[in-house]
Amino acid sequence: MKSNNLPIFKQLQNNFSQYIRDPLNNPAPLGIESRRLKVYTELFYNNIEGFIANGFPILRSLTSDEDWHKTVRAFMKYHQCQTPYFLQISEEFLEFLTSDIVVPIKNFPFLLELAHYEWVELALMVSPENNTLQDVKSGEEMETVWQVSPLAWHLAYAFDVQNIGDEYIPEHAPQSPTFLVVYRKQDDEVAFMAINAVTYRLLELIQEKNTSALNEILVVLLEELNHPNPDVVKEGAINLLKDLQAKGIVGTQEVGLNKSS
């Protein structure tokens, strides 16, 4: 027997899933004991809410219990996840926050940037990528094709998201943007470092021109900066890349790799 062009078992599945997502606004499916339904709904909600809270601990700490649970419930009700993996729920929640659904925590002016920053930490922590970059030989820095580690992301935000917490809840963005590198260390701990706009642009150019040696990349950077002393910029770039290399943020694919080899 069919109704609404769906087999009965499909209707039961739809009714059950709708009730689990939003038990206050959907009828309970027939034939299931209310006690069991209560167990299902609580387990489902607590699992989803727990993953989201653990993925966005700062955002959770800044949000009242009422507003938080309203937001999680709206996520469950309206957002159609595209992945079955629990570890990707945080990414789905971040996508939900960019939607037009009105939720209480959207009152934070820094909401999307803070949520993205917190998601990046989790994404790097569970990333299957490996950092296979090698150190650049001393004296070969300018001829080397540098690479940015897949476990190091350079980010730009209007808000200083790394400082936001219970004691610092900004109402307006600072005058200057924030530039960060978030990276996973060899011990698998995720760390961040604040950088300036020039460092951010250098890393951006290294990724964009991923077959160009450093001397070619610096031609572009120097033109953009219109710096009066190119030698200072070149020396600063080499020293900077050495510091970043020590943290595993940059390197090269092969020892001594350069455009002439």
Side-chain angles (χ1 to χ4, degrees), residues 19 97 109 120 138 152 160 178 183 233 240:
Y19 180 80
L97 293 178
V120 165
S138 180
D160 49 339
T178 291
Y183 61 101
V233 175
L240 169 65

Side-chain angles (χ1 to χ4, degrees), residues 21 74-82 92-93 95-96:
R21 285 173 174 267
F75 168 70
M76 291 169 51
K77 180 179 179 180
Y78 296 112
H79 185 74
Q80 297 294 321
C81 289
Q82 301 302 311
E92 295 280 355
F93 185 69
E95 182 180 338
F96 167 72

Side-chain angles (χ1 to χ4, degrees), residues 153-171:
W153 297 2
H154 51 288
L155 309 166
Y157 298 111
F159 285 87
D160 49 339
V161 290
Q162 76 279 17
N163 297 324
I164 295 175
D166 294 335
E167 298 181 359
Y168 175 61
I169 307 175
E171 296 182 359

